Amino acid sequence: MNEFLPVSKADMQQRGWDGYDFLVITGDAYVDHPSFGPAIISRVLEAEGYRVAILAQPDWRRAEAFTALGRPRLGVLISGGNIDSMVAHYTAAKKRRHDDAYSPGNRAGLRPDRATIVYANKVREAFGDIPVVIGGLEASLRRFAHYDYWEDKVRRSILFDSQADLLVYGMGETATREIAGRLASGTPVGEITDVRGTCFAAKDPSLCAYPKVECPSYEQVCTDKRAYAKANQIQYEEHDPIRGKAILQRHGDRLLIVNPPAMPLTTQELDFVAELPYVREPHPMYDSMGGVPAIEEVRFSVTHNRGCFGACNFCSLAFHQGRIISSRSHESVIREVTALTKHPGFKGYIHDVGGPTANFRRPACKKQMKAGVCRNRACLAPTPCPNLDADHTDYLMLLRKVRQVPGVKKVFIRSGIRFDFLQKDTNGEFFAELVKYHVSGQLKVAPEHCVNGVLNYMGKPHIEVYERFKQKYERLNQKYGKEQYLVPYLMSSHPGCTMADAVHLAEWLNRTGRQPEQVQDFYPTPGTLSTCMYYTGIDPRTMKPVYVPRDPHEKAMQRALMQWKRPEKRALVREALRVAHREDLIGYGKECLLRPSTGGPARQQGKGKTPPGRKSAGLPQAGHTRQKPVKKAGWAVAKPKKNARPKKKK
């Protein structure tokens, strides 16, 4: 049976250790599973022969808590956890969350805000001059000067606030292994400046070992939003392991030097990492606290790939894992599934064979592995690239093999399916088998919106693509006698979404018979292109202005429009329809969203049709945002033409 890594001095004594090499600190509970970044890094270092100890969710109020396992010989590695600590603590409305699935007993408050910074500063207080390396999603997405939604200001690179020596960004196995080797050989941490996938601070730009480009400084992006947008675009363009350059960004009298990304792991390397001796469970010290809820989603799931060329603008994946796909071998996945069938809690169901996007098994095109990803072209949106290789054969063969493993009853796909990519595959076998074998009652996909102008800002395919997918999905379910549903993920208040667009989304939902139970308000998380739009009001891809719904009340109305049937939302929906000059949707027609208020005249206006005078008044048709917007209590509506009169009916 595999053993957990030491979490106390008693554990080290039991192993016969008189000391250890690396201390790994994490803001999550200690879960020894390959879905948890700190567990992967710890096991990679262990496989290299280093002694590694884990300090999970230490009491950040006391420096003594960080010395509980003694001083490590080589250094301290710090991760805020699987997600950004501010996202873990706050909703999109900046309200404090009451639970935390990555903590024992689902208990909130066991890590600090800005966990990476707090932990790193406490390590300095506890150990003084010791090599400190930060990594994980929180550090990765905050590696440059970045807009912080919770403080509503631009913060400098997390490397400076944390006082760390090095920052590892992206998937850090290769960089961490190289850093560890150099520290073990006696190289001072200040001389480790040429490792791909890392950042460091310097005063001399000649310390950069790669071809380089400089983006606007911290001071510039704090005061000039166009400079911020320009910097953001440079950072995205150069985030490529094949053609990307190092990026320099000045912070006062120092330089942030961000080396090019590490190369994606090969299939053999990814197999090796996936099959390290994980226990695949939370540490038993949490049993009496109710366990760690986050394990339930992944305990019987298998990750077969990394990277995502979907490149949605609001998603951090492209800026963290990158756009080049790497995948595991069939044999490795089958070995993992076979091992899962021997788990005492296994009931025959593999919950997922997926990853960031489940149906990506290879780079988007052959050119990517030689020339890198295209600078100014997305692979899928708004339309697929002609060079796209949309062959699902390899993934289909893998799923067929997993279904044949003894003890496996069902194999589901619960991570995202990119439906536009699926439809580019001219061979319909994968779509057919997806419907026949791999849907657990509901298939969740992410059209996100229905207005093509908004979808362009999101980096998503146009709504017609989703509607064609939906029609074929329904036909296949009917063909195979399945009662399976399609659940669309939708987002309100994304940059570019006016109140007219939000009303159009509600009309589309009404017309298609959908009433989503859960909706997502746009959340400006660090580092994404959409967050850049939110902060600057500029699309960094074009440097053109974009409307941004920032007012909390407007955002509440946009969100309410997606759930207009709920009684508690009616007042907000009514107000939103009036703001958008869409009172035609208050009535008794089948396309109306609300009935008239009690006590007022019962209007049967238009039965859902566009009312007379709407076009002549210059009001925007749904999705139309070309006219100059005028702000009304913080909301975007189109500016009516002067002295406009309704046209007479013929």
Side-chain angles (χ1 to χ4, degrees):
M1 180 178 176
N2 297 337
E3 288 187 299
F4 287 93
L5 293 169
V7 297
S8 66
K9 283 189 174 180
D11 287 349
M12 289 191 283
Q13 289 168 359
Q14 190 174 359
R15 290 188 173 213
W17 293 3
D18 56 359
Y20 67 109
D21 300 313
F22 288 102
L23 177 64
V24 174
I25 300 176
T26 173
D28 295 335
Y30 175 29
V31 181
D32 194 35
H33 189 280
S35 292
F36 289 73
I40 293 176
I41 295 301
S42 301
R43 290 298 185 181
V44 166
L45 289 173
E46 181 191 42
E48 293 290 305
Y50 300 106
R51 293 178 175 181
V52 183
I54 304 291
L55 184 60
Q57 298 185 322
D59 182 357
W60 69 92
R61 302 168 189 87
R62 300 182 305 109
E64 296 78 21
F66 292 78
T67 61
L69 288 84
R71 184 185 178 96
R73 184 174 67 91
L74 296 176
V76 180
L77 312 178
I78 298 171
S79 167
N82 264 17
I83 59 177
D84 187 279
S85 60
M86 299 301 285
V87 176
H89 285 170
Y90 299 94
T91 68
K94 300 184 182 180
K95 295 180 179 177
R96 191 85 184 186
R97 299 188 194 272
H98 301 295
D99 49 30
D100 184 348
Y102 291 93
S103 294
N106 210 22
R107 181 181 162 195
L110 296 183
R111 79 182 97 205
D113 287 356
R114 311 191 190 284
T116 303
I117 294 173
V118 174
Y119 291 158
N121 281 286
K122 283 296 178 184
V123 165
R124 283 282 179 237
E125 185 180 340
F127 294 124
D129 188 16
I130 192 171
V132 175
V133 181
I134 58 174
L137 189 71
E138 182 168 89
S140 184
L141 300 183
R142 296 174 180 268
R143 61 189 182 267
F144 293 99
H146 57 281
Y147 172 71
D148 186 87
Y149 173 62
W150 303 273
E151 289 187 350
D152 192 25
K153 73 174 189 180
V154 177
R155 292 180 64 99
R156 59 183 183 167
S157 167
I158 194 173
L159 182 69
F160 295 104
D161 287 338
S162 66
Q163 303 182 69
D165 296 293
L166 288 170
L167 183 158
V168 174
Y169 70 90
M171 307 304 283
E173 297 95 344
T174 303
T176 303
R177 189 185 288 119
E178 189 167 350
I179 292 167
R182 300 222 195 152
L183 290 174
S185 69
T187 304
V189 69
E191 296 179 10
I192 303 175
T193 59
D194 61 343
V195 178
R196 281 180 164 269
T198 66
C199 318
F200 64 97
K203 290 193 174 182
D204 184 359
S206 68
L207 288 175
C208 180
Y210 299 93
K212 54 187 177 289
V213 61
E214 188 165 343
C215 74
S217 69
Y218 165 66
E219 289 75 19
Q220 287 176 294
V221 301
C222 281
T223 57
D224 183 347
K225 291 185 176 181
R226 288 190 67 82
Y228 186 102
K230 182 180 177 182
N232 194 251
Q233 187 62 18
I234 290 171
Q235 291 154 17
Y236 262 78
E237 286 177 350
E238 300 300 336
H239 184 68
D240 184 88
I242 296 171
R243 57 160 181 77
K245 297 177 181 177
I247 303 175
L248 278 56
Q249 186 177 49
R250 295 186 181 275
H251 286 62
D253 63 348
R254 290 191 291 173
L255 279 168
L256 171 72
I257 299 179
V258 181
N259 290 329
M263 287 296 295
L265 297 187
T266 64
T267 294
Q268 293 74 21
E269 290 169 334
L270 200 54
D271 286 354
F272 173 78
V273 169
E275 297 186 71
L276 290 168
Y278 307 98
V279 181
R280 304 186 67 91
E281 291 291 330
H283 194 281
M285 63 183 170
Y286 305 123
D287 290 350
S288 62
M289 306 177 202
V292 182
I295 190 63
E296 301 305 328
E297 283 295 314
V298 298
R299 179 177 276 129
F300 299 117
S301 297
V302 178
T303 300
H304 74 90
N305 66 2
R306 274 190 188 175
C308 183
F309 55 77
C312 302
N313 292 335
F314 50 81
C315 178
S316 63
L317 274 167
F319 203 44
H320 181 60
Q321 291 195 12
R323 289 167 57 189
I324 295 179
I325 304 298
S326 53
S327 56
R328 293 169 60 187
S329 69
H330 291 196
E331 294 77 15
S332 176
V333 171
I334 297 303
R335 285 193 293 269
E336 183 172 348
V337 171
T338 302
L340 289 177
T341 64
K342 297 175 172 57
H343 189 287
F346 184 70
K347 293 180 170 48
Y349 301 95
I350 299 297
H351 295 164
D352 192 18
V353 180
T357 297
N359 55 327
F360 291 170
R361 277 285 293 174
R362 62 178 72 192
C365 67
K366 295 177 180 177
K367 164 187 154 183
Q368 279 188 353
M369 295 310 295
K370 294 181 179 179
V373 297
C374 298
R375 284 182 182 274
N376 298 310
R377 178 70 168 91
C379 299
L380 283 167
T383 57
C385 174
N387 296 322
L388 186 70
D389 181 5
D391 187 355
H392 286 76
T393 303
D394 188 53
Y395 188 36
L396 182 61
M397 296 300 106
L398 173 61
L399 291 169
R400 287 174 176 171
K401 291 176 183 177
V402 175
R403 294 203 305 263
Q404 297 303 313
V405 172
V408 171
K409 298 176 183 176
K410 285 279 188 180
V411 179
F412 298 122
I413 299 174
R414 295 171 66 179
S415 50
I417 286 284
R418 189 76 188 215
F419 58 84
D420 48 347
F421 181 70
L422 187 155
Q423 290 182 93
K424 288 299 294 181
D425 189 350
T426 55
N427 184 333
E429 279 189 284
F430 173 73
F431 203 165
E433 294 200 15
L434 170 70
V435 171
K436 287 172 71 175
Y437 302 117
H438 302 297
V439 178
S440 178
Q442 297 178 336
L443 180 64
K444 296 177 181 178
V445 292
E448 301 295 358
H449 212 279
C450 71
V451 176
N452 289 340
V454 179
L455 291 166
N456 287 342
Y457 287 119
M458 291 179 164
K460 298 291 289 186
H462 288 181
I463 193 60
E464 311 87 62
V465 181
Y466 168 75
E467 289 174 337
R468 288 196 298 270
F469 172 81
K470 179 175 179 288
Q471 290 167 5
K472 187 167 183 180
Y473 179 77
E474 290 170 347
R475 288 198 304 269
L476 287 170
N477 273 282
Q478 187 175 14
K479 177 180 178 179
Y480 297 119
K482 300 284 187 179
E483 188 175 350
Q484 298 173 154
Y485 303 97
L486 202 59
V487 178
Y489 284 137
L490 300 167
M491 184 184 295
S492 63
S493 304
H494 188 276
C497 184
T498 65
M499 193 65 75
D501 296 327
V503 171
H504 187 51
L505 179 58
E507 289 183 281
W508 179 78
L509 288 168
N510 188 24
R511 188 169 60 251
T512 56
R514 300 294 314 181
Q515 176 70 188
E517 299 207 357
Q518 289 185 330
V519 297
Q520 173 65 52
D521 203 358
F522 169 65
Y523 201 156
T525 52
T528 69
L529 289 173
S530 295
T531 297
C532 176
M533 295 183 209
Y534 176 88
Y535 170 61
T536 64
I538 298 169
D539 184 341
R541 301 167 299 174
T542 62
M543 297 303 289
K544 293 181 179 179
V546 54
Y547 171 72
V548 179
R550 292 191 185 91
D551 181 84
H553 191 60
E554 180 192 4
K555 292 168 75 173
M557 286 192 291
Q558 288 207 20
R559 189 166 56 250
L561 280 164
M562 291 199 285
Q563 297 178 313
W564 75 92
K565 287 186 179 180
R566 294 192 175 186
E568 71 275 15
K569 305 287 187 183
R570 286 174 187 161
L572 279 171
V573 173
R574 192 178 304 276
E575 183 181 358
L577 294 176
R578 287 172 179 159
V579 166
H581 304 295
R582 292 302 309 273
E583 290 92 340
D584 57 297
L585 296 177
I586 303 173
Y588 296 97
K590 65 179 181 179
E591 294 185 11
C592 291
L593 302 179
L594 292 179
R595 299 292 178 258
S597 299
T598 55
R603 296 175 295 171
Q604 298 188 22
Q605 189 173 0
K607 294 186 181 295
K609 297 179 181 179
T610 302
R614 174 166 168 75
K615 291 184 180 180
S616 62
L619 294 173
Q621 304 305 299
H624 182 72
T625 57
R626 288 187 181 179
Q627 299 182 58
K628 183 178 179 180
V630 58
K631 289 187 178 179
K632 181 179 180 182
W635 314 315
V637 295
K639 188 175 183 179
K641 296 177 181 177
K642 293 182 179 179
N643 304 320
R645 296 180 179 274
K647 292 180 180 178
K648 293 182 180 180
K649 290 183 178 180
K650 292 182 180 179

